[in-house]
Amino acid sequence: MTNSRIEEKLGFDKVRTLISNACGSHYAAMRCEEENFSTSAEDIRHRLALTDEMRLILMFEDSFPTSGYLDTLDFLRPLESDNYSLDLQNLRKMRTFVDTLRKVTGFFNEDRCAIYPLLGAMSSSVFSFPEVLRRIDLILDRYGEVRDNASSELASIRKNLKDAEASISKRAAAVLRQYQADGIIDKDATISIRDGKLLLPVANTYKNKVQGFVYDASASGKTVFVEPGEVVELENRITELHFAEEREILRILIEFSTFVRPYVKEMIKSAIFLGEIDFIKAKAHVALDFIAGMPIISEDAHPRIDLRKARHPLLEAALRKEKKQIVPLTLSLNPAKHILLISGPNAGGKSVCLKTMGLLQYMFQWGMLIPTSETSEMMVFDRILVSIGDDQSLENDLSTYSSFLQDMKTMLREADNRTLVLIDEFGSGTEPTAGGAIAEAILAELDSRGTYGVITTHYSNLKMYASKPECGVVNGAMMFDSAAIRPMFKMEMGLPGNSFAFEMARKIGLSEEIVKDAEKRAGDDFVDIERNLRKIARSRKALDEKLQRVKTADKTLENITDQYQKELLEIKQLRKKIIDEATAQAQQIISSSRAQVENTIRTIKEAQAEKEATKEARAELQGFMSALISQKGTASSEDVDRKIARIDARKARQAERKAERAAVAGEKKAAEQLAAEKREKEFRNAPLAVGEKVRDKQSGMVGEVIKLGEKSIIVSLGNFTSKVPASRLERISSNEFRTASRDTAPKTKTDVKIDSGIQERKQNFKTELDVRGVRLYDALDEVSRYIDDAIMLSVGSVRIIHGKGTGVLHDEIQKMLRATPGVASATDEHIQFGGSGVTIVTLE
């Protein structure tokens, strides 16, 4: 069977026609007709990626030109010859071509090449010919007519032409007035214009008195229309000027053709480039109409087909006109279960499922996006073999069943594990017992070869074969609402279908006696087979579901273990960082303590105290410093806390001794000051209680303690509450609180000014952020800052374009957004506007 015959059977010929009709140029339409079914995964990926990039451009980019794709090769190729020159119509086409080329190549700047790399690579080597466009604009005006100033000679000719055309009407009017004055022509007569000539209406009896040529006569013959001789001379002059104009325009076109000839080879390449862009654009337009996306190509050692929510595009369009919804198809084939055997009632959707699978597979390998979930997986086949419909032929002496056997002969000759077979009504058209046996033998052979396929049937022996656990065939049932006696058009894998013939007979209206008689004639064996098939299928389905749950649980446990190990590593790193910071703080405290000790020593010396005590204090401090440094990186956080506490106690004792010695030396005032400092320090650093006034050491803001926690404290700061580490807070008195509150009280309304920076950010804020091509952590940081700005500026919702790729960027961004305060929701965009490649963020 030829590809054209397969396309007709699957309905791809209609898809190809839709794409061809969307092309703007004959070149693109021919590319659509010549594009073939591909068996190269790399080629298919390239075709799909180009179409997907163009789909995104048509969705999001308004500056990309969607018109102006004209056929230019038919005059560009002859233009390589010196004997050929452009005519005026081709010059207009060339201007449109060069202008469209300029817009397309200008669109793919450095930033957009990063977003659309394949289309950007196509345009990178294409020239835009700005000088050619400039020269054309010197010849043609915006309406496509030759300018008067295209050359000085043309300007002179057209000036003379305008003067002659103006004088001819004046001359004709003067002649008319003269003849009217002579009484030859009636007073109320006017100049007539026929075929562009100015004619005088003269009574037939006076025609010899008027100099000129009789051009026409009235129907009655009483009036003749004469072209005056003076006007004839002027018209001859105008005709000569028109010829001169045409000759000058031809000379200008020949001169331009000579100018543009060196560019023609590159212009031909550019014309082919625009034709390819037009073809890709047509595919993208149809993909948007189909709400189609790019699936994953399965290329590993065990390739699989995993169609999710697949839709037949032609059937969906027909149902949409009737305001009906299509039922999506989900199926999965893999090396273990590679043939799907669909059974069920007539008119229940078996053939639609088969054709949906076949059409989408053909579209995929042709390079067309398919209407299915973008998480679907498709594998690449070397061939598709089809047996659909009745190919009986009187000329070739083929009956329906003979035609079927011819198809099976071809399939068995060519089928292997890289073949997809599609067989509708398998084995029908002959005596059921023999037909079923032949069909089962063919099915077993296809199964043994590892051939992939989708097959529809009513034969029970084939359903029994598919129920064997060791075979590579899986049953699929078209669901039926037995209560309403109507098909549901939904396929469920793992279950054999029932024909529901008796139920359908009752619904149609056959008498109950006939239906019951038919049930008796069918016998218990038939009923038992159907019942046992469904029982086996239900048991297998339950077992598969349990196995899947076990695998899911194992995977979840593995992920949790990995997460715990990762978090443990982060905790260890954080612990080391905290200890290092605490050690550095301790060293800083020691340094400040040393300065204080030096001051104490100086004071002691000045007071003539004992030198031995001074040495002892310095030695003790130095020893503690050495011990602390040697334990850096190994001490626990508790050790650091204890050592810092000991330093604080030692500082307090030193301060007390300093006060005592100062008092002994007679420095009473200094002692009192030190005591005051001590009391203030005790007041500041004593444990806080709910209701006390505090100050944030970093921001200087004051507030009231609302709730105490183990490591942090909730404080009311003005009109909002904040969770602050206890180390950042210090107690203040009520007087200090009132003073600070008064100083930071809001200004009056007349003093309020809008921050110009915030106002400018609000004006320049964009409700869409594009992070495609950005590294994960940089993207998360950029999204975080962007959401903070959106919340600050009270934006309702924003769009974040992150692309699809492997899905990591999508998952991590949405995970972060759902944990961000102020974010109400983070969901995928509608598939028509980007699907999982775009996240819609709704802010509270």
PDB file of all heavy atoms in Angstrom, residues 700-717:
ATOM      1  N   GLY A 700      16.329  49.484  64.388  1.00  0.00           N
ATOM      2  CA  GLY A 700      16.062  50.584  65.293  1.00  0.00           C
ATOM      3  C   GLY A 700      14.584  50.784  65.586  1.00  0.00           C
ATOM      4  O   GLY A 700      14.225  51.697  66.331  1.00  0.00           O
ATOM      5  N   MET A 701      13.691  49.950  65.014  1.00  0.00           N
ATOM      6  CA  MET A 701      12.270  50.096  65.257  1.00  0.00           C
ATOM      7  C   MET A 701      11.911  49.591  66.646  1.00  0.00           C
ATOM      8  O   MET A 701      12.561  48.673  67.185  1.00  0.00           O
ATOM      9  CB  MET A 701      11.474  49.321  64.209  1.00  0.00           C
ATOM     10  CG  MET A 701      11.674  49.827  62.784  1.00  0.00           C
ATOM     11  SD  MET A 701      10.694  48.924  61.582  1.00  0.00           S
ATOM     12  CE  MET A 701       9.061  49.462  62.093  1.00  0.00           C
ATOM     13  N   VAL A 702      10.888  50.182  67.249  1.00  0.00           N
ATOM     14  CA  VAL A 702      10.459  49.805  68.594  1.00  0.00           C
ATOM     15  C   VAL A 702       9.097  49.146  68.511  1.00  0.00           C
ATOM     16  O   VAL A 702       8.315  49.398  67.595  1.00  0.00           O
ATOM     17  CB  VAL A 702      10.412  51.036  69.519  1.00  0.00           C
ATOM     18  CG1 VAL A 702      11.772  51.647  69.679  1.00  0.00           C
ATOM     19  CG2 VAL A 702       9.423  52.079  68.985  1.00  0.00           C
ATOM     20  N   GLY A 703       8.808  48.276  69.496  1.00  0.00           N
ATOM     21  CA  GLY A 703       7.536  47.582  69.501  1.00  0.00           C
ATOM     22  C   GLY A 703       7.266  46.932  70.833  1.00  0.00           C
ATOM     23  O   GLY A 703       7.993  47.152  71.823  1.00  0.00           O
ATOM     24  N   GLU A 704       6.238  46.063  70.835  1.00  0.00           N
ATOM     25  CA  GLU A 704       5.807  45.405  72.068  1.00  0.00           C
ATOM     26  C   GLU A 704       5.795  43.907  71.845  1.00  0.00           C
ATOM     27  O   GLU A 704       5.370  43.420  70.796  1.00  0.00           O
ATOM     28  CB  GLU A 704       4.410  45.890  72.457  1.00  0.00           C
ATOM     29  CG  GLU A 704       3.894  45.293  73.748  1.00  0.00           C
ATOM     30  CD  GLU A 704       2.519  45.837  74.114  1.00  0.00           C
ATOM     31  OE1 GLU A 704       2.167  46.935  73.633  1.00  0.00           O
ATOM     32  OE2 GLU A 704       1.809  45.168  74.877  1.00  0.00           O
ATOM     33  N   VAL A 705       6.262  43.139  72.849  1.00  0.00           N
ATOM     34  CA  VAL A 705       6.322  41.686  72.761  1.00  0.00           C
ATOM     35  C   VAL A 705       4.913  41.120  72.841  1.00  0.00           C
ATOM     36  O   VAL A 705       4.160  41.432  73.773  1.00  0.00           O
ATOM     37  CB  VAL A 705       7.204  41.104  73.882  1.00  0.00           C
ATOM     38  CG1 VAL A 705       7.168  39.575  73.829  1.00  0.00           C
ATOM     39  CG2 VAL A 705       8.628  41.607  73.760  1.00  0.00           C
ATOM     40  N   ILE A 706       4.561  40.283  71.838  1.00  0.00           N
ATOM     41  CA  ILE A 706       3.231  39.664  71.806  1.00  0.00           C
ATOM     42  C   ILE A 706       3.289  38.205  72.237  1.00  0.00           C
ATOM     43  O   ILE A 706       2.445  37.731  72.987  1.00  0.00           O
ATOM     44  CB  ILE A 706       2.628  39.765  70.394  1.00  0.00           C
ATOM     45  CG1 ILE A 706       2.394  41.227  70.031  1.00  0.00           C
ATOM     46  CG2 ILE A 706       1.319  39.000  70.287  1.00  0.00           C
ATOM     47  CD1 ILE A 706       1.882  41.431  68.631  1.00  0.00           C
ATOM     48  N   LYS A 707       4.329  37.475  71.742  1.00  0.00           N
ATOM     49  CA  LYS A 707       4.419  36.048  72.044  1.00  0.00           C
ATOM     50  C   LYS A 707       5.880  35.647  72.094  1.00  0.00           C
ATOM     51  O   LYS A 707       6.686  36.120  71.303  1.00  0.00           O
ATOM     52  CB  LYS A 707       3.686  35.231  70.968  1.00  0.00           C
ATOM     53  CG  LYS A 707       3.614  33.747  71.268  1.00  0.00           C
ATOM     54  CD  LYS A 707       2.808  33.035  70.178  1.00  0.00           C
ATOM     55  CE  LYS A 707       2.742  31.547  70.439  1.00  0.00           C
ATOM     56  NZ  LYS A 707       1.994  30.829  69.391  1.00  0.00           N
ATOM     57  N   LEU A 708       6.214  34.747  73.054  1.00  0.00           N
ATOM     58  CA  LEU A 708       7.579  34.270  73.217  1.00  0.00           C
ATOM     59  C   LEU A 708       7.714  32.882  72.619  1.00  0.00           C
ATOM     60  O   LEU A 708       6.856  32.024  72.823  1.00  0.00           O
ATOM     61  CB  LEU A 708       7.966  34.238  74.704  1.00  0.00           C
ATOM     62  CG  LEU A 708       7.947  35.586  75.439  1.00  0.00           C
ATOM     63  CD1 LEU A 708       8.227  35.385  76.913  1.00  0.00           C
ATOM     64  CD2 LEU A 708       8.981  36.538  74.849  1.00  0.00           C
ATOM     65  N   GLY A 709       8.793  32.670  71.843  1.00  0.00           N
ATOM     66  CA  GLY A 709       9.100  31.360  71.309  1.00  0.00           C
ATOM     67  C   GLY A 709      10.457  30.894  71.805  1.00  0.00           C
ATOM     68  O   GLY A 709      11.165  31.607  72.531  1.00  0.00           O
ATOM     69  N   GLU A 710      10.852  29.660  71.391  1.00  0.00           N
ATOM     70  CA  GLU A 710      12.135  29.139  71.849  1.00  0.00           C
ATOM     71  C   GLU A 710      13.310  29.916  71.260  1.00  0.00           C
ATOM     72  O   GLU A 710      14.268  30.239  71.951  1.00  0.00           O
ATOM     73  CB  GLU A 710      12.259  27.662  71.465  1.00  0.00           C
ATOM     74  CG  GLU A 710      11.259  26.766  72.206  1.00  0.00           C
ATOM     75  CD  GLU A 710      11.472  25.308  71.838  1.00  0.00           C
ATOM     76  OE1 GLU A 710      12.403  25.035  71.059  1.00  0.00           O
ATOM     77  OE2 GLU A 710      10.711  24.455  72.330  1.00  0.00           O
ATOM     78  N   LYS A 711      13.235  30.205  69.956  1.00  0.00           N
ATOM     79  CA  LYS A 711      14.355  30.879  69.303  1.00  0.00           C
ATOM     80  C   LYS A 711      13.991  32.258  68.779  1.00  0.00           C
ATOM     81  O   LYS A 711      14.864  33.041  68.440  1.00  0.00           O
ATOM     82  CB  LYS A 711      14.872  30.024  68.138  1.00  0.00           C
ATOM     83  CG  LYS A 711      15.445  28.698  68.577  1.00  0.00           C
ATOM     84  CD  LYS A 711      16.007  27.937  67.395  1.00  0.00           C
ATOM     85  CE  LYS A 711      16.594  26.608  67.798  1.00  0.00           C
ATOM     86  NZ  LYS A 711      17.137  25.856  66.648  1.00  0.00           N
ATOM     87  N   SER A 712      12.709  32.553  68.656  1.00  0.00           N
ATOM     88  CA  SER A 712      12.294  33.840  68.111  1.00  0.00           C
ATOM     89  C   SER A 712      11.119  34.384  68.901  1.00  0.00           C
ATOM     90  O   SER A 712      10.451  33.647  69.648  1.00  0.00           O
ATOM     91  CB  SER A 712      11.907  33.707  66.639  1.00  0.00           C
ATOM     92  OG  SER A 712      10.850  32.788  66.512  1.00  0.00           O
ATOM     93  N   ILE A 713      10.872  35.673  68.736  1.00  0.00           N
ATOM     94  CA  ILE A 713       9.829  36.368  69.486  1.00  0.00           C
ATOM     95  C   ILE A 713       8.959  37.130  68.485  1.00  0.00           C
ATOM     96  O   ILE A 713       9.469  37.766  67.553  1.00  0.00           O
ATOM     97  CB  ILE A 713      10.442  37.345  70.518  1.00  0.00           C
ATOM     98  CG1 ILE A 713      11.257  36.556  71.552  1.00  0.00           C
ATOM     99  CG2 ILE A 713       9.366  38.175  71.187  1.00  0.00           C
ATOM    100  CD1 ILE A 713      12.006  37.421  72.518  1.00  0.00           C
ATOM    101  N   ILE A 714       7.644  37.061  68.669  1.00  0.00           N
ATOM    102  CA  ILE A 714       6.725  37.805  67.815  1.00  0.00           C
ATOM    103  C   ILE A 714       6.502  39.169  68.441  1.00  0.00           C
ATOM    104  O   ILE A 714       6.094  39.283  69.606  1.00  0.00           O
ATOM    105  CB  ILE A 714       5.396  37.066  67.647  1.00  0.00           C
ATOM    106  CG1 ILE A 714       5.647  35.707  66.952  1.00  0.00           C
ATOM    107  CG2 ILE A 714       4.401  37.894  66.837  1.00  0.00           C
ATOM    108  CD1 ILE A 714       4.420  34.865  66.788  1.00  0.00           C
ATOM    109  N   VAL A 715       6.787  40.211  67.652  1.00  0.00           N
ATOM    110  CA  VAL A 715       6.756  41.583  68.156  1.00  0.00           C
ATOM    111  C   VAL A 715       5.800  42.397  67.293  1.00  0.00           C
ATOM    112  O   VAL A 715       5.780  42.258  66.060  1.00  0.00           O
ATOM    113  CB  VAL A 715       8.171  42.205  68.132  1.00  0.00           C
ATOM    114  CG1 VAL A 715       8.137  43.625  68.690  1.00  0.00           C
ATOM    115  CG2 VAL A 715       9.141  41.360  68.923  1.00  0.00           C
ATOM    116  N   SER A 716       5.024  43.281  67.937  1.00  0.00           N
ATOM    117  CA  SER A 716       4.171  44.228  67.222  1.00  0.00           C
ATOM    118  C   SER A 716       4.985  45.481  66.946  1.00  0.00           C
ATOM    119  O   SER A 716       5.360  46.209  67.858  1.00  0.00           O
ATOM    120  CB  SER A 716       2.936  44.573  68.058  1.00  0.00           C
ATOM    121  OG  SER A 716       2.199  45.602  67.431  1.00  0.00           O
ATOM    122  N   LEU A 717       5.278  45.715  65.652  1.00  0.00           N
ATOM    123  CA  LEU A 717       6.072  46.877  65.240  1.00  0.00           C
ATOM    124  C   LEU A 717       5.165  47.802  64.438  1.00  0.00           C
ATOM    125  O   LEU A 717       4.905  47.569  63.250  1.00  0.00           O
ATOM    126  CB  LEU A 717       7.269  46.443  64.402  1.00  0.00           C
ATOM    127  CG  LEU A 717       8.271  45.511  65.092  1.00  0.00           C
ATOM    128  CD1 LEU A 717       9.279  44.999  64.091  1.00  0.00           C
ATOM    129  CD2 LEU A 717       8.977  46.238  66.222  1.00  0.00           C
TER     130      LEU A 717
END
